[in-house]
Amino acid sequence: MSQAQPPEELRPWYYKNPALFPVFLLGWPIWMELQVVILWPAWAILIIRSPWHRGMVSGTLAWAMLMSGGAFIGLELFGSGLGLIGSDLEPSHILLLVLPGLVYTVVTQTLWAKSKQAILGSIPLEPATPVVDDRPPRSQRERLRRRLRRRASRPGRSSRHPF
């Protein structure tokens, strides 16, 4: 079920490490305490949808970032000022801090949707290996003998059925 990885030279700018690194750092919602603009869902969604990032660590970290950030922002927005991070941010202010990340996510995913077919179409398909059966074909006589042997009653034993 593992897909082949596209060539590295076809990787778009938003999937290259110089673009992913700052998005990863600014993707954690803990920056809201300092009232810094966050790019929350961008890195996680890029990694989850990427054909170049199929590792267990990056995938797990992406899902953790996506779920914990969503829960954290949701509790801040709808928790009526629970103050999880010690700040008294208004819901409109939280949305303004998260909005650049949402816009960046929409832009990169739109670009990815446009170029996905061309990039994934360039992956060389591996020829399917035919399954070779080394066993000789069973003859009809051998199959008949096995069937009769299974159906025959055993001498000296009672029937399996109570009637």
Side-chain angles (χ1 to χ4, degrees):
M1 199 155 203
S2 176
Q3 294 179 346
Q5 201 175 36
E8 197 68 26
E9 59 269 4
L10 293 178
R11 187 185 283 207
W13 64 268
Y14 45 88
Y15 274 124
K16 293 187 179 180
N17 290 339
L20 283 174
F21 188 69
V23 175
F24 172 75
L25 289 179
L26 292 173
W28 297 99
I30 57 171
W31 295 107
M32 284 193 317
E33 182 177 357
L34 301 175
Q35 297 186 6
V36 175
V37 170
I38 62 170
L39 300 175
W40 162 61
W43 184 84
I45 292 176
L46 280 170
I47 295 300
I48 290 169
R49 296 195 61 199
S50 170
W52 291 279
H53 302 91
R54 294 288 184 200
M56 177 72 169
V57 174
S58 63
T60 304
L61 191 59
W63 279 106
M65 179 188 277
L66 194 62
M67 289 188 279
S68 64
F72 189 74
I73 292 169
L75 286 173
E76 282 294 315
L77 285 175
F78 305 115
S80 65
L82 289 177
L84 293 176
I85 55 176
S87 64
D88 296 325
L89 293 175
E90 294 293 321
S92 60
H93 195 187
I94 292 171
L95 288 177
L96 285 176
L97 292 175
V98 177
L99 188 62
L102 295 173
V103 170
Y104 184 80
T105 303
V106 169
V107 168
T108 56
Q109 292 308 304
T110 303
L111 291 172
W112 176 240
K114 288 182 179 179
S115 61
K116 182 178 183 178
Q117 292 299 329
I119 291 172
L120 295 182
S122 67
I123 300 174
L125 296 175
E126 296 176 13
T129 57
V131 177
V132 179
D133 191 10
D134 294 344
R135 298 178 298 170
R138 289 186 183 174
S139 67
Q140 188 174 7
R141 188 168 151 197
E142 182 182 346
R143 280 184 274 166
L144 181 61
R145 188 173 36 192
R146 280 182 177 234
R147 194 177 320 139
L148 288 175
R149 192 174 355 160
R150 274 187 265 157
R151 286 186 180 173
S153 65
R154 300 179 196 154
R157 295 199 178 208
S158 62
S159 172
R160 296 182 201 174
H161 301 288
F163 341 104

